[in-house]
Amino acid sequence: MLTRSWRLASHFAVVGSLSALTHSPNCCSVLMRSHRCMRTNWQPEGMSLNQLKERGCSTLEEYIAALDVRRQKRDALQEYVSRADVSGQEKGWARCEYIYKSLRLPFQCSTCWLLPGNCICSSLRKYEVTTKVVIHLHPDEWAKGSNTGCLCSSLLDCELLMKGHKQHDQRIQQLLDDPDYTCSILWPGEGALGPHELQQLAQQRSNGRIALIALDATWDGARKMRSKYPPGVHMLKLPPHLALPTHSQQQQQQQQQALSAEAPPPAALRQQQQQSQ
């Protein structure tokens, strides 16, 4: 219990530990996990050249200078959210703006959100689509190295918008009110339209132009985000044959392929049976 309490306390010393926001119902949860290099008692002197290169730094001095700039921004944000004259909503906007500009780590590619040494942006190619695609991310998903929604901005040239960011929330509302697009959320809920139904509706309302919003969050976070949309917004569901297989389905397919590869063909099986007789 003491160990767990110490770990929890250490999180409040790193970037984004803004517990002052939790009292506001307009703000999402605010406990942000941070990389160990942002802890105030962490010493970077033991970093190797490969570790520095992976973070896009050539010298240890450059690395430490970047950390100092990061800490200054963090301290300025913590000072702002601790003020009593700032509303909870304004604190939430400030937190999201900080995540949007500073990302989660002091050394990240701004496009694929990986460390510079692992950046995959040069390997991505563009795909032209007629549908306008918008990825609406939960703040906890923004700048995560494991997030894949950010790759859509390079693959599909789509918009990445953060829930809780003031300008991004205004952009979402602008899309919902835009008569030039038939706006729909990718959501398998009751009353959701199929692709052909949505296309027919878009032909009648916006000359076939569709704006598709995909929610990027955990299921619990996505449900909360979905509940904030207007009741009449359209939803799009994908038919089963277009859905990507789950991890368990992929494992089952691999096991079936392995068994079929090991099983002898029917002719060889009959020959074995004749020889045994």
Side-chain angles (χ1 to χ4, degrees), residues 15 37-38 60-77 98 101-103 105-107:
V15 178
C37 65
M38 289 310 298
L60 184 61
E61 290 74 14
E62 181 184 355
Y63 183 85
I64 296 176
L67 287 182
D68 290 338
V69 173
R70 174 82 169 196
R71 291 191 181 104
Q72 291 174 7
K73 294 180 180 179
R74 174 202 62 191
D75 294 341
L77 179 63
Y98 174 82
K101 289 185 176 180
S102 301
L103 305 180
L105 300 177
F107 310 96

PDB file of all heavy atoms in Angstrom, residues 15 37-38 60-77 98 101-103 105-107:
ATOM      1  N   VAL A  15       4.605  15.995 -15.552  1.00  0.00           N
ATOM      2  CA  VAL A  15       3.814  16.837 -16.437  1.00  0.00           C
ATOM      3  C   VAL A  15       2.361  16.426 -16.441  1.00  0.00           C
ATOM      4  O   VAL A  15       2.046  15.255 -16.532  1.00  0.00           O
ATOM      5  CB  VAL A  15       4.362  16.733 -17.877  1.00  0.00           C
ATOM      6  CG1 VAL A  15       3.531  17.574 -18.828  1.00  0.00           C
ATOM      7  CG2 VAL A  15       5.790  17.197 -17.885  1.00  0.00           C
ATOM      8  N   CYS A  37      11.569  10.482 -17.672  1.00  0.00           N
ATOM      9  CA  CYS A  37      12.513  11.571 -17.838  1.00  0.00           C
ATOM     10  C   CYS A  37      11.938  12.901 -17.400  1.00  0.00           C
ATOM     11  O   CYS A  37      12.663  13.890 -17.306  1.00  0.00           O
ATOM     12  CB  CYS A  37      12.972  11.669 -19.295  1.00  0.00           C
ATOM     13  SG  CYS A  37      11.663  12.096 -20.443  1.00  0.00           S
ATOM     14  N   MET A  38      10.624  12.962 -17.098  1.00  0.00           N
ATOM     15  CA  MET A  38      10.040  14.215 -16.659  1.00  0.00           C
ATOM     16  C   MET A  38       9.948  14.303 -15.140  1.00  0.00           C
ATOM     17  O   MET A  38       9.476  15.301 -14.607  1.00  0.00           O
ATOM     18  CB  MET A  38       8.650  14.397 -17.267  1.00  0.00           C
ATOM     19  CG  MET A  38       8.681  14.682 -18.763  1.00  0.00           C
ATOM     20  SD  MET A  38       9.815  16.012 -19.192  1.00  0.00           S
ATOM     21  CE  MET A  38       9.092  17.374 -18.315  1.00  0.00           C
ATOM     22  N   LEU A  60      24.265  15.533 -24.783  1.00  0.00           N
ATOM     23  CA  LEU A  60      23.533  15.521 -23.525  1.00  0.00           C
ATOM     24  C   LEU A  60      23.068  16.920 -23.140  1.00  0.00           C
ATOM     25  O   LEU A  60      21.987  17.089 -22.564  1.00  0.00           O
ATOM     26  CB  LEU A  60      24.428  14.946 -22.429  1.00  0.00           C
ATOM     27  CG  LEU A  60      23.787  14.768 -21.042  1.00  0.00           C
ATOM     28  CD1 LEU A  60      22.620  13.801 -21.118  1.00  0.00           C
ATOM     29  CD2 LEU A  60      24.835  14.270 -20.044  1.00  0.00           C
ATOM     30  N   GLU A  61      23.844  17.940 -23.490  1.00  0.00           N
ATOM     31  CA  GLU A  61      23.459  19.322 -23.192  1.00  0.00           C
ATOM     32  C   GLU A  61      22.177  19.704 -23.917  1.00  0.00           C
ATOM     33  O   GLU A  61      21.303  20.380 -23.366  1.00  0.00           O
ATOM     34  CB  GLU A  61      24.593  20.282 -23.568  1.00  0.00           C
ATOM     35  CG  GLU A  61      25.827  20.204 -22.676  1.00  0.00           C
ATOM     36  CD  GLU A  61      26.664  18.963 -22.933  1.00  0.00           C
ATOM     37  OE1 GLU A  61      26.443  18.307 -23.977  1.00  0.00           O
ATOM     38  OE2 GLU A  61      27.526  18.645 -22.090  1.00  0.00           O
ATOM     39  N   GLU A  62      22.071  19.266 -25.173  1.00  0.00           N
ATOM     40  CA  GLU A  62      20.853  19.541 -25.949  1.00  0.00           C
ATOM     41  C   GLU A  62      19.643  18.863 -25.324  1.00  0.00           C
ATOM     42  O   GLU A  62      18.550  19.430 -25.254  1.00  0.00           O
ATOM     43  CB  GLU A  62      21.047  19.061 -27.384  1.00  0.00           C
ATOM     44  CG  GLU A  62      19.860  19.307 -28.300  1.00  0.00           C
ATOM     45  CD  GLU A  62      20.070  18.738 -29.680  1.00  0.00           C
ATOM     46  OE1 GLU A  62      21.177  18.228 -29.956  1.00  0.00           O
ATOM     47  OE2 GLU A  62      19.116  18.797 -30.498  1.00  0.00           O
ATOM     48  N   TYR A  63      19.856  17.663 -24.837  1.00  0.00           N
ATOM     49  CA  TYR A  63      18.783  16.907 -24.188  1.00  0.00           C
ATOM     50  C   TYR A  63      18.318  17.604 -22.908  1.00  0.00           C
ATOM     51  O   TYR A  63      17.121  17.787 -22.672  1.00  0.00           O
ATOM     52  CB  TYR A  63      19.292  15.500 -23.874  1.00  0.00           C
ATOM     53  CG  TYR A  63      18.266  14.577 -23.260  1.00  0.00           C
ATOM     54  CD1 TYR A  63      17.386  13.861 -24.048  1.00  0.00           C
ATOM     55  CD2 TYR A  63      18.194  14.419 -21.872  1.00  0.00           C
ATOM     56  CE1 TYR A  63      16.452  13.008 -23.488  1.00  0.00           C
ATOM     57  CE2 TYR A  63      17.263  13.571 -21.302  1.00  0.00           C
ATOM     58  CZ  TYR A  63      16.391  12.870 -22.117  1.00  0.00           C
ATOM     59  OH  TYR A  63      15.470  12.042 -21.561  1.00  0.00           O
ATOM     60  N   ILE A  64      19.258  18.020 -22.069  1.00  0.00           N
ATOM     61  CA  ILE A  64      18.917  18.671 -20.803  1.00  0.00           C
ATOM     62  C   ILE A  64      18.243  20.023 -21.048  1.00  0.00           C
ATOM     63  O   ILE A  64      17.305  20.408 -20.351  1.00  0.00           O
ATOM     64  CB  ILE A  64      20.177  18.831 -19.935  1.00  0.00           C
ATOM     65  CG1 ILE A  64      20.717  17.453 -19.549  1.00  0.00           C
ATOM     66  CG2 ILE A  64      19.884  19.640 -18.687  1.00  0.00           C
ATOM     67  CD1 ILE A  64      22.014  17.491 -18.762  1.00  0.00           C
ATOM     68  N   ALA A  65      18.702  20.750 -22.076  1.00  0.00           N
ATOM     69  CA  ALA A  65      18.091  22.042 -22.397  1.00  0.00           C
ATOM     70  C   ALA A  65      16.637  21.866 -22.807  1.00  0.00           C
ATOM     71  O   ALA A  65      15.769  22.663 -22.421  1.00  0.00           O
ATOM     72  CB  ALA A  65      18.883  22.728 -23.508  1.00  0.00           C
ATOM     73  N   ALA A  66      16.354  20.818 -23.574  1.00  0.00           N
ATOM     74  CA  ALA A  66      14.970  20.556 -23.977  1.00  0.00           C
ATOM     75  C   ALA A  66      14.114  20.201 -22.766  1.00  0.00           C
ATOM     76  O   ALA A  66      12.942  20.597 -22.677  1.00  0.00           O
ATOM     77  CB  ALA A  66      14.923  19.433 -25.001  1.00  0.00           C
ATOM     78  N   LEU A  67      14.675  19.457 -21.818  1.00  0.00           N
ATOM     79  CA  LEU A  67      13.939  19.125 -20.597  1.00  0.00           C
ATOM     80  C   LEU A  67      13.639  20.379 -19.783  1.00  0.00           C
ATOM     81  O   LEU A  67      12.554  20.513 -19.211  1.00  0.00           O
ATOM     82  CB  LEU A  67      14.737  18.139 -19.747  1.00  0.00           C
ATOM     83  CG  LEU A  67      14.833  16.691 -20.242  1.00  0.00           C
ATOM     84  CD1 LEU A  67      15.630  15.865 -19.248  1.00  0.00           C
ATOM     85  CD2 LEU A  67      13.471  16.088 -20.458  1.00  0.00           C
ATOM     86  N   ASP A  68      14.581  21.309 -19.726  1.00  0.00           N
ATOM     87  CA  ASP A  68      14.372  22.531 -18.961  1.00  0.00           C
ATOM     88  C   ASP A  68      13.238  23.361 -19.553  1.00  0.00           C
ATOM     89  O   ASP A  68      12.401  23.912 -18.826  1.00  0.00           O
ATOM     90  CB  ASP A  68      15.664  23.353 -18.925  1.00  0.00           C
ATOM     91  CG  ASP A  68      16.733  22.691 -18.071  1.00  0.00           C
ATOM     92  OD1 ASP A  68      16.367  21.869 -17.208  1.00  0.00           O
ATOM     93  OD2 ASP A  68      17.927  22.993 -18.273  1.00  0.00           O
ATOM     94  N   VAL A  69      13.199  23.447 -20.885  1.00  0.00           N
ATOM     95  CA  VAL A  69      12.108  24.184 -21.540  1.00  0.00           C
ATOM     96  C   VAL A  69      10.777  23.518 -21.237  1.00  0.00           C
ATOM     97  O   VAL A  69       9.772  24.180 -20.957  1.00  0.00           O
ATOM     98  CB  VAL A  69      12.354  24.251 -23.058  1.00  0.00           C
ATOM     99  CG1 VAL A  69      11.154  24.844 -23.771  1.00  0.00           C
ATOM    100  CG2 VAL A  69      13.597  25.066 -23.360  1.00  0.00           C
ATOM    101  N   ARG A  70      10.781  22.189 -21.263  1.00  0.00           N
ATOM    102  CA  ARG A  70       9.554  21.436 -20.971  1.00  0.00           C
ATOM    103  C   ARG A  70       9.073  21.695 -19.547  1.00  0.00           C
ATOM    104  O   ARG A  70       7.879  21.903 -19.312  1.00  0.00           O
ATOM    105  CB  ARG A  70       9.845  19.950 -21.172  1.00  0.00           C
ATOM    106  CG  ARG A  70       8.717  19.011 -20.782  1.00  0.00           C
ATOM    107  CD  ARG A  70       7.696  18.908 -21.865  1.00  0.00           C
ATOM    108  NE  ARG A  70       6.770  17.837 -21.628  1.00  0.00           N
ATOM    109  CZ  ARG A  70       5.968  17.327 -22.559  1.00  0.00           C
ATOM    110  NH1 ARG A  70       6.026  17.784 -23.780  1.00  0.00           N
ATOM    111  NH2 ARG A  70       5.121  16.371 -22.267  1.00  0.00           N
ATOM    112  N   ARG A  71       9.984  21.697 -18.598  1.00  0.00           N
ATOM    113  CA  ARG A  71       9.611  21.913 -17.201  1.00  0.00           C
ATOM    114  C   ARG A  71       9.092  23.331 -16.980  1.00  0.00           C
ATOM    115  O   ARG A  71       8.207  23.545 -16.155  1.00  0.00           O
ATOM    116  CB  ARG A  71      10.809  21.627 -16.297  1.00  0.00           C
ATOM    117  CG  ARG A  71      11.197  20.157 -16.234  1.00  0.00           C
ATOM    118  CD  ARG A  71      12.196  19.898 -15.122  1.00  0.00           C
ATOM    119  NE  ARG A  71      12.578  18.490 -15.085  1.00  0.00           N
ATOM    120  CZ  ARG A  71      13.723  18.006 -15.536  1.00  0.00           C
ATOM    121  NH1 ARG A  71      14.598  18.830 -16.080  1.00  0.00           N
ATOM    122  NH2 ARG A  71      13.993  16.724 -15.463  1.00  0.00           N
ATOM    123  N   GLN A  72       9.647  24.294 -17.693  1.00  0.00           N
ATOM    124  CA  GLN A  72       9.163  25.667 -17.571  1.00  0.00           C
ATOM    125  C   GLN A  72       7.711  25.779 -18.039  1.00  0.00           C
ATOM    126  O   GLN A  72       6.887  26.450 -17.400  1.00  0.00           O
ATOM    127  CB  GLN A  72      10.061  26.608 -18.380  1.00  0.00           C
ATOM    128  CG  GLN A  72      11.460  26.777 -17.812  1.00  0.00           C
ATOM    129  CD  GLN A  72      12.359  27.602 -18.722  1.00  0.00           C
ATOM    130  OE1 GLN A  72      11.909  28.158 -19.715  1.00  0.00           O
ATOM    131  NE2 GLN A  72      13.646  27.661 -18.388  1.00  0.00           N
ATOM    132  N   LYS A  73       7.393  25.106 -19.131  1.00  0.00           N
ATOM    133  CA  LYS A  73       6.009  25.105 -19.608  1.00  0.00           C
ATOM    134  C   LYS A  73       5.091  24.398 -18.622  1.00  0.00           C
ATOM    135  O   LYS A  73       3.964  24.838 -18.379  1.00  0.00           O
ATOM    136  CB  LYS A  73       5.931  24.425 -20.980  1.00  0.00           C
ATOM    137  CG  LYS A  73       6.658  25.167 -22.088  1.00  0.00           C
ATOM    138  CD  LYS A  73       6.523  24.425 -23.403  1.00  0.00           C
ATOM    139  CE  LYS A  73       7.237  25.164 -24.527  1.00  0.00           C
ATOM    140  NZ  LYS A  73       7.142  24.441 -25.827  1.00  0.00           N
ATOM    141  N   ARG A  74       5.577  23.295 -18.061  1.00  0.00           N
ATOM    142  CA  ARG A  74       4.784  22.561 -17.079  1.00  0.00           C
ATOM    143  C   ARG A  74       4.515  23.411 -15.845  1.00  0.00           C
ATOM    144  O   ARG A  74       3.384  23.474 -15.353  1.00  0.00           O
ATOM    145  CB  ARG A  74       5.532  21.285 -16.669  1.00  0.00           C
ATOM    146  CG  ARG A  74       4.866  20.502 -15.541  1.00  0.00           C
ATOM    147  CD  ARG A  74       5.868  19.620 -14.833  1.00  0.00           C
ATOM    148  NE  ARG A  74       6.921  20.419 -14.212  1.00  0.00           N
ATOM    149  CZ  ARG A  74       8.028  19.892 -13.704  1.00  0.00           C
ATOM    150  NH1 ARG A  74       8.240  18.596 -13.769  1.00  0.00           N
ATOM    151  NH2 ARG A  74       8.926  20.676 -13.141  1.00  0.00           N
ATOM    152  N   ASP A  75       5.558  24.094 -15.352  1.00  0.00           N
ATOM    153  CA  ASP A  75       5.391  24.912 -14.154  1.00  0.00           C
ATOM    154  C   ASP A  75       4.427  26.069 -14.412  1.00  0.00           C
ATOM    155  O   ASP A  75       3.629  26.422 -13.534  1.00  0.00           O
ATOM    156  CB  ASP A  75       6.746  25.452 -13.704  1.00  0.00           C
ATOM    157  CG  ASP A  75       7.681  24.339 -13.231  1.00  0.00           C
ATOM    158  OD1 ASP A  75       7.170  23.240 -12.917  1.00  0.00           O
ATOM    159  OD2 ASP A  75       8.908  24.561 -13.199  1.00  0.00           O
ATOM    160  N   ALA A  76       4.501  26.655 -15.614  1.00  0.00           N
ATOM    161  CA  ALA A  76       3.593  27.751 -15.950  1.00  0.00           C
ATOM    162  C   ALA A  76       2.148  27.266 -15.990  1.00  0.00           C
ATOM    163  O   ALA A  76       1.228  27.961 -15.520  1.00  0.00           O
ATOM    164  CB  ALA A  76       3.982  28.361 -17.286  1.00  0.00           C
ATOM    165  N   LEU A  77       1.933  26.052 -16.502  1.00  0.00           N
ATOM    166  CA  LEU A  77       0.580  25.506 -16.552  1.00  0.00           C
ATOM    167  C   LEU A  77       0.065  25.200 -15.151  1.00  0.00           C
ATOM    168  O   LEU A  77      -1.086  25.507 -14.818  1.00  0.00           O
ATOM    169  CB  LEU A  77       0.566  24.246 -17.411  1.00  0.00           C
ATOM    170  CG  LEU A  77      -0.780  23.539 -17.529  1.00  0.00           C
ATOM    171  CD1 LEU A  77      -1.814  24.430 -18.199  1.00  0.00           C
ATOM    172  CD2 LEU A  77      -0.654  22.234 -18.283  1.00  0.00           C
ATOM    173  N   TYR A  98      -2.030  22.550 -23.699  1.00  0.00           N
ATOM    174  CA  TYR A  98      -0.680  22.110 -23.329  1.00  0.00           C
ATOM    175  C   TYR A  98      -0.368  20.753 -23.962  1.00  0.00           C
ATOM    176  O   TYR A  98       0.711  20.546 -24.528  1.00  0.00           O
ATOM    177  CB  TYR A  98      -0.563  22.035 -21.811  1.00  0.00           C
ATOM    178  CG  TYR A  98       0.745  21.462 -21.329  1.00  0.00           C
ATOM    179  CD1 TYR A  98       1.878  22.254 -21.244  1.00  0.00           C
ATOM    180  CD2 TYR A  98       0.844  20.121 -20.978  1.00  0.00           C
ATOM    181  CE1 TYR A  98       3.082  21.733 -20.809  1.00  0.00           C
ATOM    182  CE2 TYR A  98       2.043  19.592 -20.543  1.00  0.00           C
ATOM    183  CZ  TYR A  98       3.159  20.397 -20.458  1.00  0.00           C
ATOM    184  OH  TYR A  98       4.343  19.870 -20.042  1.00  0.00           O
ATOM    185  N   LYS A 101       0.149  21.143 -27.828  1.00  0.00           N
ATOM    186  CA  LYS A 101       1.382  21.767 -28.285  1.00  0.00           C
ATOM    187  C   LYS A 101       2.635  21.036 -27.801  1.00  0.00           C
ATOM    188  O   LYS A 101       3.608  20.919 -28.537  1.00  0.00           O
ATOM    189  CB  LYS A 101       1.433  23.228 -27.816  1.00  0.00           C
ATOM    190  CG  LYS A 101       0.449  24.138 -28.525  1.00  0.00           C
ATOM    191  CD  LYS A 101       0.643  25.579 -28.100  1.00  0.00           C
ATOM    192  CE  LYS A 101      -0.269  26.518 -28.878  1.00  0.00           C
ATOM    193  NZ  LYS A 101      -0.091  27.936 -28.475  1.00  0.00           N
ATOM    194  N   SER A 102       2.608  20.540 -26.570  1.00  0.00           N
ATOM    195  CA  SER A 102       3.815  19.957 -25.982  1.00  0.00           C
ATOM    196  C   SER A 102       3.885  18.447 -26.112  1.00  0.00           C
ATOM    197  O   SER A 102       4.923  17.851 -25.801  1.00  0.00           O
ATOM    198  CB  SER A 102       3.907  20.343 -24.495  1.00  0.00           C
ATOM    199  OG  SER A 102       3.935  21.746 -24.347  1.00  0.00           O
ATOM    200  N   LEU A 103       2.772  17.802 -26.542  1.00  0.00           N
ATOM    201  CA  LEU A 103       2.703  16.355 -26.642  1.00  0.00           C
ATOM    202  C   LEU A 103       2.939  15.732 -25.266  1.00  0.00           C
ATOM    203  O   LEU A 103       2.834  16.401 -24.247  1.00  0.00           O
ATOM    204  CB  LEU A 103       3.699  15.836 -27.681  1.00  0.00           C
ATOM    205  CG  LEU A 103       3.562  16.454 -29.091  1.00  0.00           C
ATOM    206  CD1 LEU A 103       4.586  15.860 -30.030  1.00  0.00           C
ATOM    207  CD2 LEU A 103       2.162  16.292 -29.642  1.00  0.00           C
ATOM    208  N   LEU A 105       5.715  13.612 -24.456  1.00  0.00           N
ATOM    209  CA  LEU A 105       7.138  13.497 -24.155  1.00  0.00           C
ATOM    210  C   LEU A 105       7.866  14.692 -24.748  1.00  0.00           C
ATOM    211  O   LEU A 105       7.423  15.265 -25.745  1.00  0.00           O
ATOM    212  CB  LEU A 105       7.714  12.198 -24.732  1.00  0.00           C
ATOM    213  CG  LEU A 105       7.111  10.888 -24.234  1.00  0.00           C
ATOM    214  CD1 LEU A 105       7.743   9.718 -24.960  1.00  0.00           C
ATOM    215  CD2 LEU A 105       7.306  10.738 -22.740  1.00  0.00           C
ATOM    216  N   PRO A 106       8.984  15.071 -24.154  1.00  0.00           N
ATOM    217  CA  PRO A 106       9.724  16.192 -24.711  1.00  0.00           C
ATOM    218  C   PRO A 106      10.360  15.879 -26.056  1.00  0.00           C
ATOM    219  O   PRO A 106      10.801  16.775 -26.750  1.00  0.00           O
ATOM    220  CB  PRO A 106      10.787  16.474 -23.641  1.00  0.00           C
ATOM    221  CG  PRO A 106      10.930  15.206 -22.892  1.00  0.00           C
ATOM    222  CD  PRO A 106       9.588  14.557 -22.914  1.00  0.00           C
ATOM    223  N   PHE A 107      10.411  14.603 -26.438  1.00  0.00           N
ATOM    224  CA  PHE A 107      11.022  14.214 -27.703  1.00  0.00           C
ATOM    225  C   PHE A 107      10.063  13.264 -28.416  1.00  0.00           C
ATOM    226  O   PHE A 107      10.040  12.075 -28.146  1.00  0.00           O
ATOM    227  CB  PHE A 107      12.376  13.548 -27.465  1.00  0.00           C
ATOM    228  CG  PHE A 107      13.268  14.348 -26.556  1.00  0.00           C
ATOM    229  CD1 PHE A 107      13.336  14.067 -25.213  1.00  0.00           C
ATOM    230  CD2 PHE A 107      14.007  15.398 -27.059  1.00  0.00           C
ATOM    231  CE1 PHE A 107      14.148  14.805 -24.379  1.00  0.00           C
ATOM    232  CE2 PHE A 107      14.816  16.152 -26.235  1.00  0.00           C
ATOM    233  CZ  PHE A 107      14.885  15.859 -24.890  1.00  0.00           C
TER     234      PHE A 107
END
